[in-house]
Each structure stands twice: as structure tokens, then as C-alpha cells.
């Protein structure tokens, strides 16, 4: 089960590391036009695209790539480390670059966590441990007695006996570390189970020599036992001296961490060990003590120790800084967290920009938005060379949205206006969030602030405003915003926003209002709607009884060079239109007096399919002579006659056919004038 979870985490880490596809299309989204073009006919419920902010907004790859800073939890970092050291050909330089790319700082605690997770992956554990050994030094002190013992556990667990003994030798000769009791027990059990009698004897001899008693863990346990047994006083100090233990940085740090803040004994021991001359504190012991004191109840003591550390010329250990920062944030000690961030920024090893983003996100989701604290983080970051990016602000925006505080977005923007201006992608997101949340006043304020700072909004931002208002159901505001958009940036590139607006009107059964807007924009502002926009609106107008308005749109389409959209008209006329309506339609759809014969045939067929034979006959009587006498038309009516058409229709068709036969005979006899005269006399009077 553990291996399956690890594989899933590795897969997630890999997916997160992949770059997003760039150069996404312009607002004229192909998928939108494709969907719209699939409208086949008008019915009681014609097709209208259902816009949604997740599917049809046209944000670019730069916005898609604007994710919050990578998860900095130990588990995620272990996944990255496991993946990294599983690969072949990873040089020290490549490893360094990979760690920087994933914002990973290898600390003592991270090494311990990684080795615990690599118990069943000895090859990866060995590569990782060897790399740490090459890069560790007295300054970093990443590897400890506990680290070595965990590595021994990995080796013995996987039957690597020779390597086990090689590491025991290295620990004893080079580091002075011994084998811990837990590791000894585990190794003894494995050796006995594998019937390795020589190794069992060797291990027992090692234990008898006292090697295990000299492990840091064992020494720390002995010191802690003395401290906990009694109230601190001369007797405790005497017993500590009698232990004859050499206090090292690792040992002091471990004792402080194990004692904690119980009865102030950890801090008392920390003071005593230096005042007694047993040990001089370094950055690691100061950092360990600071980590223990990082709480609300011990905040004053924490900063006193930090000041002492700075006065001694030390900087806080990176691992301790990360742990303390997260603890301050978790306990809602945001001011202390910002103070710590400022302290770290003043050192030689500065935190990354992700720490700035992390703090800003936590500040904006706090119970009360402290803009002074927010601006202070921005100032600290800027003064130390970290410029606020659109990615950072996008993360802040998401945090504001998550707690329903999007209206504070303008406050945040004003706080950083001298150092940061959002790009068009971020402007679009802000505009959409404000308008879709019903914050029309804040949206207007945002537009005004952007224009006042000489950052005029582009078509994408205007379209996002329109889309947001449509999603919020505020059609009047959406319409007003669209008209303002046309005034500000001109008619070109506003087609997407217009289709959003038209579709939203149609979904609310306000197709006539949409028609008025389109007509006004086309005639007064030279807007050129997409073909799909016309098709959507025509279908809904016919469904809502707006035949005359739909005909007018047909005329606008014709003037703008689009082919006529016939299907919804044919269906509407065949089911509910009168013959006069049909004639009006045929004249409106073409620049000529009448359209071609196939259009009439399509209408006749639709009438017959709808069972409206008499209306088909009345329409035929109103048609021009070349349609009434056309052979395909007559054949269609004859087939309907044989299928049971009304008697009047049958008589009409018989007369037509008789006339055509007489005309044919007279033409053959070279009497065309007589043929025309006789043909007209055979036709029934209207």
C-alpha cells in the first residue's frame, strides 16, 4: 500500500513539473464557434451555448501557469527527492538545479524523513545518502548520528551486510557515532534470522564494547533523564558534570528539542551549558532553541534568543526558519511571521519569492485584513530584490476569492500600485471575479483605477467583465459594459463578448432585447457579429415569436456577406407560418426578386411533412410562374397527390400537367405563341 501511495505521489510531482502549453488562441475560440455552428434548426428549445467560466474563458498559457507556490510539505519534497535520485546520470550540478527549481532546502529533518520513506528502496537511499555526505560540512551539519543509524536500518533491512559494517566503521572512526539501541536490535534480529552467526557475534561484541552506549541518542536520553528527575538546581548541575559527557552541537540541539519548554528546563539547560563552559553555542543550537520557543506563550523569549544569535554573528538555520515560519502562520502569529521573514531577508541566505507569496496569501485570508502588514511584506521583498510578479498576485487573488473577500482586491492593488501593475491576463481574472460576484461598484472602481494609471483595459478584460455580469444574471450591467467596451476599444475584437451577451439574453427568454442590441450595434457602431451569433439569435427569435425581427437579422447577415440561415425559418414556416409569411421570407433572403427553385422546393417539402397540404397549395398559388410550372415542383405535388392530397390540389396539378402537355405538342408543331396562349388558358384562376 505504501509503495502504491508513493507511486501516486511521484506521478503527481511529475505532472506538476511539466510546463504548460503556450500560445493559446485569441479570444475567437474555435471550440465556441464550432459549438455554435452545430445549430441545425429552430425548435421549441433551440440550441444556445451554455457559457461557463471554466470552459469558455480565453485565458492564455501564462495564466494557466500561474499556480500557487509548490507544496512545501515534507511529503511532497520527499516525492521530488525520490524521483530525482531514482534517475540515472544526475550530477551534483543537476541535483542542485533541480532542488532550486522545486524550492527544496535539504535539512536535517528532511533527511530523516526521506530515509524513513526509503526503507524499501536501498539503491535510492544509498545515492541520496552519498550525495548528502559529499555536501555536508561543519557549517551545515545535515547528517547526525540518527541519520547514520537510519541508513544502517535501510542496509540491514535489505540484506546489505557488508555495506552495513562499512558504515559502522565510518561512523566510529570519522564521526565518533555509535550504533543506537533500536538499530542494534533490528540488526541482531535480521542476522539471527539469516543464520549469520559470524555477524551476530561481531554485533554482540560491538555492543559489549560500549559502542552503542556512545550514540547521540543514548547520550541525549541520559542527559534528559537527569534534567527531568528533579527541579533544576545545584544537584542537577552536579549530576550533569558527573556524566563526563562531551557536549557537542548535535547533542545540545537534541537535548533542547527533547526537553522542550516544560518548566523552562530546556531554556535553563541552554543557558547553563554555555555559562558552565561546557559548550559554546553555534547557529544550530541557537536555531534549535528558537524552534522550541516559537509559540505565543514564549514569543518574548524566542525573540530574545534570536537577538542573542544575531549579536553572536550567527544566522538562523534554514530548516529551523522554515519550521518556525509555518508554526507562526499556523498559530496565526502573522506579525511574528513577518518579523521572522524580515530577519531572514537581512541575512546572507535569503528566502525565496515563494515565502513572500506564502505570507501574502495568509495575510489576506486572516480574520481581519491588515493592509499595513501586507504592504510591509511587499516592501521587504522589493527592497531585497524580489519583485512582486503576476504569479504571486494571482495566488493572492485566489486566496481572497476562497474566503469571499474579492471586494478587497482593489485595496490590495492600491497598496502595491507603485511596485506592480497586473498584466492583461491577471486583469481579466480580476474583472471576471468582481463582476461574476455581483460586485459591480468594485468592478467599476477597478476599471477606473486601471485607466487612471495609464493601463487601459484590453478586449480580453472587457470581455471578462461582460462574461462575469452575464454569469451573475445582471444583463443590464452586462449590456452597458459591452457598449462601453465598443466605445473604448472600437468595434473590432468585440465579437466574442457580443456572443456571450446574446446567448445570455436568449437563455433568459429575452431574445428581442438581444435583437435590439445587435441591431443597434451593427447599424450604429459598425460591429460585425460572428455568423454563429446571428444563428443563435435567429433560432431563439423564431422560438419566441419574433418572426419580423428574425427577418431583419437575415437582412443584416446578407449585408455583411454571410450566407442565409434557412433551416430555422423553414421549420418555423412549415409548422406555424402562413403562405404570406413564406413569401415574405423568400423575398427577404435574397438580393434578387426571388430565390432559386431549391429554396421553394425545401419549403414545399416541409409543408407536406408537417401535414399542411392546403397551406402548401396556397403558397404555390402565390409563387411566381416559373416555380408553378417547374417540373420538380409538379412532380413533388403529384407524388403528394398519389399519397392522398386534397381534391383541390389534385385538380390543380392535373390542370398544370394538361397545360404542359398541350404546350409540348404545339412547340413540336412550331406554334410556340399558340402554345403559350393555350397554356395560360388552362391554368386555374387564383
Amino acid at each position: 500500500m505504501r509503495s502504491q501511495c508513493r507511486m501516486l505521489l511521484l506521478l503527481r510531482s511529475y505532472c506538476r513539473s511539466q510546463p504548460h502549453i503556450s500560445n493559446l488562441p485569441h479570444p475567437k475560440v474555435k471550440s465556441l464557434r464550432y459549438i455554435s455552428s452545430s445549430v441545425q434548426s429552430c425548435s421549441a428549445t433551440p440550441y444556445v451555448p451554455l457559457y461557463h467560466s471554466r470552459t469558455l474563458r480565453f485565458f492564455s498559457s501564462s495564466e494557466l501557469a500561474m499556480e500557487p507556490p509548490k507544496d512545501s510539505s515534507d511529503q511532497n519534497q520527499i516525492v521530488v527527492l525520490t524521483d530525482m535520485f531514482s534517475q540515472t546520470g544526475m550530477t551534483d550540478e543537476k541535483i542542485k538545479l533541480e532542488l532550486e527549481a522545486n524550492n527544496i532546502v535539504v535539512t536535517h529533518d528532511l533527511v530523516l524523513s526521506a530515509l524513513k520513506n526509503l526503507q524499501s528502496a536501498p539503491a535510492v537511499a544509498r545515492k541520496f545518502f552519498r550525495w548528502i555526505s559529499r555536501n555536508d560540512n561543519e557549517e551545515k551539519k545535515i547528517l547526525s548520528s540518527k541519520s547514520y543509524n537510519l541508513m544502517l536500518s535501510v542496509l540491514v533491512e535489505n540484506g546489505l551486510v557488508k555495506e552495513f559494517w562499512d558504515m559502522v566503521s565510518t561512523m566510529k572512526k570519522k564521526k565518533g557515532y555509535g550504533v543506537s539501541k533500536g538499530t542494534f536490535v533490528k540488526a541482531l534480529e535480521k542476522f539471527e534470522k539469516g543464520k549469520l552467526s559470524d555477524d551476530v557475534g561481531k554485533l554482540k561484541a560491538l555492543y559489549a564494547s560500549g559502542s552503542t552506549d556512545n550514540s547521540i541518542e543514548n547520550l541525549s536520553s541520559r542527559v534528559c533523564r537527569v534534567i527531568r528527575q528533579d527541579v533544576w538546581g545545584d544537584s542537577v548541575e552536579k549530576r550533569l558534570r558527573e556524566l563526563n559527557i562531551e557536549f557537542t552541537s548535535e547533542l545540545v540541539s537534541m537535548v533542547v528539542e527533547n526537553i522542550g519548554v516544560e518548566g523552562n528546563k530546556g531554556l535553563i539547560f541552554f543557558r547553563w551549558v554555555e555559562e558552565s563552559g561546557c559548550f559554546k553555542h553555534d547557529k544550530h543550537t541557537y536555531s534549535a532553541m528558537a524552534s522550541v520557543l516559537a509559540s505565543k506563550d514564549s514569543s518574548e523569549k524566542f525573540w530574545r534568543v534570536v537577538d542573542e544569535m544575531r549579536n553572536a554573528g550567527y544566522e538562523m538555520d534554514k530548516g529551523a526558519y522554515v519550521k518556525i515560519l509555518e508554526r507562526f502562520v499556523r498559530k496565526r502569529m502573522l506579525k511574528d511571521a513577518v518579523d521572522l521573514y524580515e530577519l531572514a531577508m537581512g541575512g546572507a541566505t535569503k528566502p525565496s519569492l515563494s515565502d513572500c507569496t506564502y505570507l501574502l496569501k495568509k495575510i489576506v485570508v486572516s480574520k481581519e485584513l491588515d493592509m499595513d502588514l501586507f504592504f510591509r511584506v511587499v516592501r521587504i521583498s522589493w527592497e531585497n530584490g524580489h519583485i512582486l510578479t503576476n504569479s504571486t498576485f494571482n495566488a493572492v487573488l485566489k486566496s481572497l476569492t476562497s474566503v469571499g473577500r474579492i471586494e478587497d482586491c482593489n485595496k490590495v492593488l492600491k497598496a502595491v500600485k507603485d511596485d506592480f501593475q497586473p498584466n492583461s491576463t491577471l486583469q481579466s481574472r480580476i474583472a471576471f471575479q468582481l463582476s461574476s460576484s455581483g460586485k459591480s461598484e468594485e468592478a467599476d472602481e477597478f476599471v477606473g483605477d486601471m485607466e487612471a494609471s495609464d493601463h487601459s483595459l484590453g478586449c480580453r478584460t472587457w470581455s471578462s467583465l461582460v462574461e462575469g455580469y452575464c454569469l451573475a444574471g445582471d444583463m443590464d450591467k452586462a449590456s452597458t459594459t459591452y457598449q462601453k467596451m465598443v466605445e473604448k476599444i472600437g468595434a473590432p475584437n468585440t465579437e466574442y463578448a457580443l456572443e456571450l451577451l446574446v446567448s445570455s439574453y436568449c437563455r433568459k427568454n429575452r431574445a428581442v432585447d438581444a435583437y435590439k442590441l445587435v441591431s443597434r450595434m451593427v447599424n450604429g457602431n459598425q460591429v460585425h457579429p460572428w455568423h454563429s451569433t446571428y444563428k443563435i439569435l435567429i433560432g431563439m427569435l423564431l422560438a419566441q415569436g419574433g418572426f419580423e425581427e428574425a427577418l431583419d437579422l437575415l437582412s443584416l447577415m446578407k449585408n455583411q456577406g454571410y450566407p442565409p440561415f434557412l433551416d430555422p425559418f423553414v421549420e418555423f414556416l412549415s409548422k406555424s407560418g402562413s403562405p404570406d409569411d413564406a413569401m415574405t421570407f423568400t423575398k427577404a433572403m435574397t438580393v434578387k426578386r426571388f430565390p432559386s427553385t431549391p429554396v421553394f422546393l425545401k419549403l414545399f417539402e416541409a409543408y407536406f411533412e408537417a401535414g399542411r397540404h392546403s397551406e402548401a397549395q396556397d403558397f404555390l398559388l402565390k409563387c411566381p410562374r416559373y416555380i408553378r410550372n417547374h417540373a420538380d415542383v409538379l412532380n413533388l405535388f403529384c407524388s403528394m397527390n398519389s399519397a392522398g392530397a386534397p381534391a383541390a390540389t389534385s385538380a390543380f396539378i392535373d390542370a398544370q400537367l394538361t397545360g404542359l402537355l398541350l404546350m409540348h405538342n404545339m412547340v413540336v408543331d412550331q406554334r410556340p405563341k399558340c402554345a403559350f396562349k393555350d397554356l395560360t388558358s388552362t391554368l386555374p384562376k387564383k
Side-chain angles (χ1 to χ4, degrees):
M1 185 66 180
R2 179 181 293 178
S3 62
Q4 292 174 346
C5 293
R6 187 177 296 127
M7 287 303 295
L8 288 173
L9 288 167
L10 283 172
L11 178 61
R12 183 182 69 177
S13 174
Y14 171 78
C15 294
R16 286 183 175 180
S17 67
Q18 300 308 300
H20 291 284
I21 300 171
S22 58
N23 301 322
L24 293 182
H26 190 263
K28 290 185 179 180
V29 188
K30 287 187 177 181
S31 60
L32 173 65
R33 302 192 67 179
Y34 171 78
I35 292 171
S36 301
S37 65
S38 65
V39 180
Q40 297 297 322
S41 61
C42 172
S43 61
T45 56
Y47 175 83
V48 180
L50 295 176
Y51 297 98
H52 193 280
S53 60
R54 288 185 178 271
T55 56
L56 291 179
R57 293 177 66 215
F58 42 85
F59 294 131
S60 69
S61 61
S62 61
E63 179 189 15
L64 294 175
M66 282 196 284
E67 299 175 351
K70 292 182 174 67
D71 183 6
S72 60
S73 66
D74 281 353
Q75 189 58 59
N76 187 71
Q77 294 186 18
I78 291 168
V79 169
V80 176
L81 289 172
T82 304
D83 182 40
M84 188 189 315
F85 286 95
S86 298
Q87 301 175 31
T88 57
M90 290 294 290
T91 63
D92 284 2
E93 185 62 27
K94 287 182 179 179
I95 292 172
K96 180 181 177 182
L97 293 174
E98 192 73 18
L99 292 174
E100 290 177 354
N102 288 277
N103 193 31
I104 295 177
V105 177
V106 179
T107 62
H108 174 254
D109 290 340
L110 182 59
V111 170
L112 298 181
S113 299
L115 291 175
K116 288 176 183 177
N117 279 268
L118 292 173
Q119 292 291 313
S120 59
V124 179
R126 280 184 297 181
K127 289 176 65 176
F128 174 61
F129 196 87
R130 288 169 185 168
W131 178 80
I132 295 293
S133 300
R134 290 196 305 271
N135 290 275
D136 196 17
N137 53 42
E138 283 298 316
E139 176 68 17
K140 295 179 180 178
K141 288 191 176 178
I142 298 174
L143 292 179
S144 64
S145 172
K146 193 171 184 179
S147 309
Y148 276 95
N149 275 280
L150 278 172
M151 190 63 214
L152 286 178
S153 297
V154 174
L155 296 173
V156 76
E157 185 72 29
N158 292 277
L160 302 172
V161 179
K162 183 180 182 303
E163 293 189 38
F164 172 86
W165 288 114
D166 289 344
M167 181 160 288
V168 169
S169 177
T170 300
M171 290 169 61
K172 187 175 182 180
K173 292 178 180 179
K174 294 185 177 181
K175 297 290 184 179
Y177 297 150
V179 179
S180 68
K181 184 65 176 291
T183 305
F184 167 78
V185 171
K186 181 183 290 188
L188 184 63
E189 181 183 347
K190 281 288 182 180
F191 292 161
E192 290 177 343
K193 189 175 181 180
K195 298 181 179 179
L196 303 174
S197 56
D198 291 344
D199 293 290
V200 170
K202 189 175 179 181
L203 188 63
K204 288 182 177 180
L206 178 71
Y207 182 76
S209 69
S211 174
T212 54
D213 292 337
N214 292 326
S215 67
I216 295 295
E217 290 81 3
N218 204 315
L219 295 176
S220 172
S221 177
R222 292 165 61 188
V223 172
C224 290
R225 193 180 304 118
V226 170
I227 295 173
R228 288 192 176 108
Q229 281 178 347
D230 202 353
V231 177
W232 189 279
D234 293 340
S235 61
V236 172
E237 294 177 3
K238 179 182 178 182
R239 273 178 281 163
L240 286 175
R241 289 191 182 94
E242 290 174 349
L243 290 174
N244 288 324
I245 291 175
E246 180 184 354
F247 287 100
T248 64
S249 176
E250 184 179 353
L251 177 58
V252 172
S253 298
M254 188 174 293
V255 171
V256 166
E257 290 170 352
N258 289 336
I259 294 296
V261 293
E262 55 180 90
N264 286 326
K265 287 185 176 181
L267 183 58
I268 294 173
F269 167 76
F270 178 82
R271 300 292 187 200
W272 171 83
V273 75
E274 185 171 53
E275 291 171 0
S276 64
C278 296
F279 175 78
K280 182 173 177 58
H281 289 303
D282 58 16
K283 66 177 291 185
H284 302 291
T285 54
Y286 274 118
S287 297
M289 191 69 250
S291 297
V292 170
L293 296 172
S295 66
K296 288 183 178 180
D297 296 334
S298 304
S299 177
E300 185 178 344
K301 297 174 184 176
F302 165 83
W303 287 112
R304 191 178 301 131
V305 169
V306 169
D307 287 339
E308 291 174 12
M309 178 178 64
R310 293 173 63 188
N311 293 334
Y314 297 120
E315 290 185 15
M316 184 176 292
D317 182 78
K318 180 68 173 179
Y321 159 76
V322 172
K323 184 188 296 184
I324 295 170
L325 184 70
E326 291 178 350
R327 187 177 301 169
F328 280 157
V329 170
R330 188 169 62 251
K331 293 179 178 294
R332 300 181 182 179
M333 301 168 63
L334 292 179
K335 184 181 181 304
D336 290 281
V338 175
D339 289 340
L340 181 65
Y341 175 67
E342 185 172 24
L343 173 72
M345 272 297 200
T349 306
K350 301 181 186 301
S352 66
L353 182 59
S354 63
D355 286 11
C356 171
T357 304
Y358 175 71
L359 284 173
L360 293 178
K361 288 169 59 180
K362 296 304 179 182
I363 290 172
V364 299
V365 300
S366 59
K367 190 173 181 179
E368 293 184 4
L369 178 55
D370 189 334
M371 289 308 305
D372 291 336
L373 208 57
F374 185 95
F375 180 73
R376 185 178 163 206
V377 173
V378 174
R379 179 184 55 78
I380 294 169
S381 180
W382 181 82
E383 289 177 351
N384 288 276
H386 289 170
I387 307 301
L388 196 63
T389 65
N390 284 278
S391 176
T392 297
F393 198 88
N394 181 64
V396 172
L397 178 65
K398 287 183 178 180
S399 296
L400 282 171
T401 306
S402 68
V403 293
R405 199 180 277 171
I406 187 63
E407 65 274 8
D408 290 327
C409 180
N410 288 320
K411 293 181 183 177
V412 173
L413 279 174
K414 288 175 181 176
V416 298
K417 65 180 181 179
D418 295 332
D419 307 313
F420 169 77
Q421 285 295 337
N423 62 10
S424 60
T425 300
L426 190 53
Q427 286 180 13
S428 298
R429 181 178 287 277
I430 295 170
F432 177 78
Q433 293 290 354
L434 289 172
S435 57
S436 63
S437 302
K439 310 293 183 182
S440 58
E441 293 184 5
E442 288 79 2
D444 289 341
E445 182 182 354
F446 167 71
V447 172
D449 289 344
M450 288 295 102
E451 292 181 337
S453 60
D454 296 327
H455 283 76
S456 57
L457 305 184
C459 65
R460 296 174 60 198
T461 307
W462 283 108
S463 296
S464 294
L465 280 169
V466 173
E467 181 183 5
Y469 285 128
C470 288
L471 195 64
D474 191 347
M475 299 310 301
D476 293 339
K477 189 66 177 177
S479 178
T480 302
T481 301
Y482 174 73
Q483 294 176 65
K484 188 180 294 185
M485 173 185 182
V486 174
E487 293 174 5
K488 293 287 185 179
I489 68 173
N493 299 320
T494 64
E495 299 88 349
Y496 175 78
L498 180 59
E499 183 154 313
L500 284 172
L501 199 51
V502 167
S503 298
S504 297
Y505 268 123
C506 290
R507 288 201 307 275
K508 293 182 176 296
N509 294 321
R510 295 177 60 184
V512 174
D513 291 331
Y515 154 75
K516 292 177 181 177
L517 174 67
V518 170
S519 179
R520 185 166 63 252
M521 290 292 103
V522 172
N523 294 323
N525 299 87
Q526 289 76 49
V527 174
H528 198 287
W530 288 342
H531 192 202
S532 57
T533 306
Y534 280 119
K535 292 166 77 173
I536 292 168
L537 187 50
I538 286 174
M540 286 303 296
L541 281 170
L542 292 174
Q544 296 175 20
F547 177 66
E548 293 182 2
E549 290 83 357
L551 283 180
D552 187 46
L553 287 182
L554 204 60
S555 176
L556 293 179
M557 289 179 69
K558 185 170 57 179
N559 294 338
Q560 293 189 334
Y562 289 126
F565 185 38
L566 304 182
D567 290 348
F569 284 99
V570 171
E571 185 173 351
F572 169 79
L573 292 169
S574 65
K575 291 182 178 179
S576 58
S578 67
D580 289 333
D581 291 337
M583 287 304 300
T584 303
F585 163 68
T586 58
K587 292 177 181 178
M589 64 159 291
T590 180
V591 293
K592 301 177 181 178
R593 186 177 179 186
F594 291 105
S596 61
T597 304
V599 176
F600 286 96
L601 281 170
K602 195 170 186 177
L603 283 167
F604 289 135
E605 290 170 353
Y607 271 119
F608 285 130
E609 287 176 5
R612 302 180 70 198
H613 294 265
S614 59
E615 285 81 359
Q617 178 186 344
D618 292 342
F619 176 43
L620 179 63
L621 292 174
K622 294 177 179 293
C623 289
R625 189 184 303 275
Y626 76 92
I627 294 297
R628 296 200 305 269
N629 293 336
H630 197 280
D632 291 338
V633 175
L634 294 174
N635 285 336
L636 176 62
F637 274 82
C638 280
S639 64
M640 291 299 105
N641 179 31
S642 62
T649 303
S650 300
F652 179 83
I653 297 303
D654 289 342
Q656 289 286 85
L657 291 175
T658 300
L660 287 173
L661 181 59
L662 287 172
M663 181 180 71
H664 173 74
N665 292 334
M666 290 180 181
V667 169
V668 171
D669 293 339
Q670 297 183 350
R671 292 187 293 162
K673 292 184 179 180
C674 295
F676 176 76
K677 180 178 180 181
D678 289 347
L679 175 61
T680 55
S681 66
T682 62
L683 294 176
K685 301 300 181 183
K686 188 175 178 182

